[in-house]
Amino acid sequence: MCDKLVNGTYNVNGNDDASDKKCNGTKKEIRVWCDGCYDMVHFGHANSLRQAKALGDKVIVGIHTDEEITKHKGPPVFTEEERVKMVKGIKWVDEVVLGAPYVTTLEVLDQNDCDFCVHGNDITMTAEGVDTYHLVKSANRYREVMRTAGVSTTDLVGRMLLLTRNHFRQGSAEYDIEKEGSSNMGQDSAAKSPWTGCSQFLPTTQKIIQFSDGKSPNQGDKIVYVAGAFDLFHVGHLDFLEKASKLGDYLIVGLHTDPVVNSYKGSNYPIMNLHERVLSVLACKFVNEVVIGAPYCVTEELLDHFKIDIVCHGRTPIALEDGKLDPYAVPKTRAIFELLDSGNDMTTERIVERIILHRLEYERRNQAKEKKEIEAFEALQRQKQTHKAG
């Protein structure tokens, strides 16, 4: 597969025939436009794109530049190059366009041959407080999908800055919302924004099915297995999984439980709990299957059950179980273990370092964002009351 950059557009599927406007030879394909910052890409972004894909044939994603985001929202966590790569790695995305305007115009839809624009049912505004989708809404070229409750970039930044541990509670408290005083990061129950304030993320089997491709390996397929935390799914993970996928035909990712990850990473890791990490990894186009709560030590039973041909690990240090057991001893004995160099030195820890380094900037950004969202929400409520009275 070769991604092509043509007029600022990355064609993820490698088909650059602009004249190909037909689907199945007769019906014109429906091209759906989505745009945004896509900073710290998470399963909420992926779910929005999945819903957009269901409304058409192709999904074209416009990404704002670092300069535009800084102007309207504050500094992004990831560079535009990193954000482009992450969005290209989502299984429902067909093309990526860098340099999308912050306010979506009819011209940008026409330039990219898109029928309409899709966004979640929250409000995005410019620095001046203008709805970024007002132009396409007025032209009836706007569709809305449900925002994924319980996750936002604002929330994830808050978890890192405050070193909170509530996101991996277990037992009866697992889905409790934090009841302590509100921070200014918008990640607890006292945060007031109706969109990026805290809400419960409730995992369901339906959501996992929607994210899974549901395909079993074919007879004779070479099956590759990797395992880890895959916390705050990032470009380093993406590059590693792409390389691992090329070693075989079917890639299985084992995800360790929250207590296991915490045992070898410490602090408040993982930043994202197991349910969240499952969806983040399933959204990756290189992944075929996920083992939820995989054993830390790769066992003979696991290898035999999934008929695994090769086991890979990246260049990150391998922690011994209980300080003495090599978790890859069995695949090494079978001579099916391989160390992979992704060529990318990004780690979850480096992301946290970026956030902490710019802590004050992110706090100001999130405070301003929450203020604008509250004002917009209150204006909407007043508008609804006026319509009812009329």
Side-chain angles (χ1 to χ4, degrees):
M1 183 181 71
C2 177
D3 299 336
K4 301 177 188 284
L5 176 60
V6 183
N7 297 326
T9 301
Y10 295 86
N11 190 316
V12 178
N13 295 320
N15 177 10
D16 60 344
D17 183 4
S19 64
D20 184 16
K21 302 285 179 67
K22 302 287 183 180
C23 178
N24 299 326
T26 55
K27 182 172 74 73
K28 179 187 181 300
E29 71 176 16
I30 297 172
R31 289 169 61 86
V32 180
W33 175 267
C34 298
D35 57 24
C37 304
Y38 295 96
D39 196 20
M40 288 185 63
V41 173
H42 51 68
F43 65 90
H45 293 123
N47 193 38
S48 174
L49 295 169
R50 179 191 65 79
Q51 293 177 80
K53 183 80 170 204
L55 297 175
D57 302 303
K58 294 280 180 70
V59 170
I60 295 80
V61 180
I63 297 179
H64 309 316
T65 62
D66 295 344
E67 184 181 2
E68 276 283 276
I69 296 172
T70 302
K71 175 185 172 185
H72 293 283
K73 194 174 179 180
V77 177
F78 288 100
T79 67
E80 55 197 42
E81 292 81 13
E82 290 168 333
R83 291 184 287 111
V84 164
K85 179 179 278 191
M86 285 299 292
V87 173
K88 283 165 60 181
I90 296 173
K91 63 171 69 170
W92 299 286
V93 173
D94 296 288
E95 296 173 27
V96 175
V97 180
L98 178 61
Y102 209 77
V103 174
T104 308
T105 63
L106 297 176
E107 287 75 22
V108 81
L109 294 188
D110 293 338
Q111 285 167 9
N112 291 279
D113 196 25
C114 291
D115 296 87
F116 52 84
C117 170
V118 169
H119 190 258
N121 59 337
D122 53 341
I123 284 187
T124 308
M125 288 171 289
T126 66
E128 296 76 31
V130 175
D131 180 356
T132 57
Y133 295 103
H134 73 279
L135 297 174
V136 288
K137 285 178 180 178
S138 298
N140 197 30
R141 292 177 70 181
Y142 176 83
R143 304 289 184 274
E144 206 164 77
V145 295
M146 289 296 294
R147 179 183 171 275
T148 306
V151 65
S152 69
T153 301
T154 307
D155 175 40
L156 295 175
V157 168
R159 294 184 196 182
M160 284 179 269
L161 287 179
L162 299 172
L163 296 179
T164 56
R165 300 172 63 89
N166 306 313
H167 52 283
F168 53 85
R169 284 176 169 168
Q170 293 193 317
S172 61
E174 185 167 1
Y175 303 119
D176 280 359
I177 298 176
E178 178 58 40
K179 296 297 190 296
E180 294 167 6
S182 177
S183 73
N184 50 19
M185 298 309 301
Q187 87 306 325
D188 54 45
S189 60
K192 296 178 179 64
S193 169
W195 293 298
T196 53
C198 180
S199 61
Q200 291 170 301
F201 169 61
L202 299 174
T204 63
T205 52
Q206 183 188 22
K207 189 63 64 190
I208 292 174
I209 290 166
Q210 288 170 339
F211 272 56
S212 172
D213 62 16
K215 295 175 184 173
S216 299
N218 296 317
Q219 187 74 28
D221 276 354
K222 187 175 184 181
I223 299 174
V224 182
Y225 179 77
V226 302
F230 293 92
D231 192 17
L232 289 177
F233 195 80
H234 54 68
V235 286
H237 295 138
L238 189 69
D239 285 342
F240 170 69
L241 291 174
E242 181 176 15
K243 283 207 168 183
S245 70
K246 290 177 179 176
L247 294 177
D249 308 294
Y250 193 89
L251 178 61
I252 300 174
V253 178
L255 286 178
H256 299 145
T257 63
D258 300 336
V260 167
V261 174
N262 188 253
S263 72
Y264 63 80
K265 303 267 283 192
S267 186
N268 72 325
Y269 292 104
I271 303 299
M272 300 183 84
N273 66 40
L274 179 59
H275 308 305
E276 297 171 318
R277 292 184 285 119
V278 165
L279 295 183
S280 296
V281 173
L282 276 175
C284 176
K285 67 182 180 182
F286 304 117
V287 176
N288 299 103
E289 184 63 284
V290 168
V291 180
I292 303 171
Y296 186 65
C297 283
V298 180
T299 62
E300 291 187 358
E301 290 81 6
L302 185 143
L303 295 176
D304 293 340
H305 178 78
F306 290 106
K307 298 180 173 59
I308 293 164
D309 297 291
I310 185 166
V311 177
C312 303
H313 190 272
R315 293 292 177 180
T316 54
I318 300 172
L320 301 179
E321 186 172 57
D322 299 327
K324 53 190 176 184
L325 294 176
D326 180 354
Y328 293 103
V330 173
K332 284 177 181 177
T333 301
R334 293 190 180 189
I336 60 170
F337 179 76
E338 185 170 331
L339 279 174
L340 270 187
D341 186 354
S342 70
N344 193 317
D345 61 359
M346 177 59 73
T347 63
T348 302
E349 289 78 8
R350 281 190 62 196
I351 297 170
V352 175
E353 285 170 12
R354 285 188 191 185
I355 296 288
I356 292 173
L357 187 64
H358 298 284
R359 173 169 189 155
L360 292 177
E361 291 176 84
Y362 290 121
E363 286 182 346
R364 284 194 293 269
R365 180 185 88 169
N366 290 343
Q367 282 178 321
K369 186 171 187 290
E370 181 170 274
K371 184 173 182 290
K372 283 195 295 184
E373 288 177 348
I374 291 168
E375 289 171 353
F377 184 73
E378 289 173 348
L380 274 175
Q381 296 303 104
R382 287 194 297 272
Q383 193 177 42
K384 286 178 183 176
Q385 288 170 359
T386 303
H387 282 312
K388 282 181 181 178

